[in-house]
Amino acid sequence: MQPATANSEWTTAADAWAAFVNQHPELGYRPGHWQFHNFLRNFRDRLRDQDAIRLAKGRHWIAHGVRFTEVAFACATGK
């Protein structure tokens, strides 16, 4: 098993969501657990299919640092 490093491509989904919301205030999303949960209700399958999020051991979501933002933006804008 490889230890986590500061250069890891993966981060917690909560951190990825906060960064996404911060990068795209024009979309009107807010940071926070429940906003992310509601977003996942609509777009979980698409995010998983494009390997933007994964369910890690212990039922915690992790997100790819680059793909999450790209796929989440596409989902939010209907592309």
Side-chain angles (χ1 to χ4, degrees):
M1 182 154 88
Q2 188 175 6
T5 66
N7 295 330
S8 178
E9 294 179 339
W10 294 89
T11 185
T12 65
D15 288 345
W17 175 252
F20 171 71
V21 169
N22 212 19
Q23 287 175 351
H24 296 288
E26 70 278 8
L27 297 175
Y29 291 112
R30 294 178 309 215
H33 171 76
W34 289 111
Q35 282 284 309
F36 178 63
H37 173 76
N38 290 336
F39 189 79
L40 280 185
R41 280 197 306 173
N42 295 313
F43 302 113
R44 177 185 299 118
D45 292 339
R46 188 166 172 193
L47 290 163
R48 286 181 90 174
D49 290 347
Q50 297 196 22
D51 201 29
I53 62 171
R54 293 180 184 173
L55 193 58
K57 191 172 187 175
R59 299 186 48 90
H60 295 283
W61 290 104
I62 60 172
H64 190 272
V66 176
R67 280 191 301 268
F68 179 82
T69 301
E70 293 171 353
V71 177
F73 186 81
C75 290
T77 58
K79 296 290 175 186

